[in-house]
Amino acid sequence: ILVSAKTEDSDKIIGLNMGADDYITKPFNPLELVARVKSNLRRYISLGNFKQENLEVLKYEALVLDNASKEVSVDGEVVKLTPIEYKILEMLLKNQGRVFSSRQIYESVWEEPGYNCDRTVAVHIRRIREKIEINPKDPKYIKVVWGVGYKIDKK
């Protein structure tokens, strides 16, 4: 929301064209500003929920991650993952085809700086593979890109 002392129509048009969702001129009633903020939040949340509905079930071949029930299944059989393993798998499924370094995975999942985290991430990836792969040594789902990181191929 752009708050400005400029009241000309051309100024409002420029502000909205530059990316502002709303424009309010000074002096303004604080209650009006609060109402505009609430209106923008409602719009943002409803659009955000629309996107989330599309991402509730993530699939790659026989691997299915259901965000609503927080369940992972392979070939219809439920697989028990720890919360960390679930977050790693969710991240990779949401970004199929994209390679993530161990550090990127660590910082995204653990939400803290990743220093010397390669081994930690590798262990979690190995455990996920043991649970979802038929042959963990020849993985079908989570691939390693040597020297770079991990990915799930884009379908």
Side-chain angles (χ1 to χ4, degrees):
I1 298 175
L2 195 63
V3 178
S4 175
K6 296 185 175 191
T7 59
E8 296 294 319
D9 287 340
S10 61
D11 296 320
K12 293 177 184 178
I13 292 167
I14 290 170
L16 293 168
N17 283 334
M18 289 181 65
D21 290 325
D22 204 349
Y23 192 102
I24 189 168
T25 58
K26 295 178 185 177
F28 58 88
N29 181 332
L31 294 176
E32 179 185 1
L33 179 61
V34 169
R36 288 177 183 262
V37 168
K38 286 181 180 178
S39 172
N40 275 287
L41 285 172
R42 271 193 313 274
R43 226 179 352 262
Y44 175 78
I45 289 168
S46 69
L47 288 175
N49 286 341
F50 176 75
K51 287 181 182 178
Q52 287 176 349
E53 287 172 16
N54 291 340
L55 296 177
E56 267 194 39
V57 176
L58 303 168
K59 295 180 183 179
Y60 181 79
E61 296 181 10
L63 176 64
V64 179
L65 183 142
D66 187 339
N67 264 322
S69 64
K70 298 294 184 201
E71 286 186 339
V72 174
S73 62
V74 180
D75 291 324
E77 292 188 36
V78 175
V79 177
K80 300 289 184 196
L81 297 179
T82 67
I84 294 290
E85 292 167 350
Y86 183 91
K87 286 181 183 179
I88 292 171
L89 187 59
E90 179 182 29
M91 177 184 181
L92 294 172
L93 280 169
K94 280 183 178 177
N95 298 282
Q96 292 178 24
R98 183 170 171 203
V99 179
F100 290 96
S101 69
S102 293
R103 185 177 193 155
Q104 288 172 311
I105 292 171
Y106 188 90
E107 289 178 354
S108 176
V109 171
W110 279 266
E111 297 177 356
E112 59 184 49
Y115 304 109
N116 298 320
C117 59
D118 293 352
R119 199 71 206 123
T120 302
V121 173
V123 167
H124 280 83
I125 294 289
R126 180 177 49 86
R127 288 182 183 154
I128 295 168
R129 283 180 173 160
E130 288 170 354
K131 294 175 182 181
I132 67 170
E133 301 281 358
I134 293 170
N135 180 2
K137 294 187 192 270
D138 183 23
K140 176 180 177 181
Y141 300 113
I142 300 176
K143 307 284 185 173
V144 67
V145 179
W146 292 106
V148 183
Y150 302 94
K151 72 173 183 172
I152 290 181
D153 285 327
K154 192 167 191 146
K155 222 174 166 187

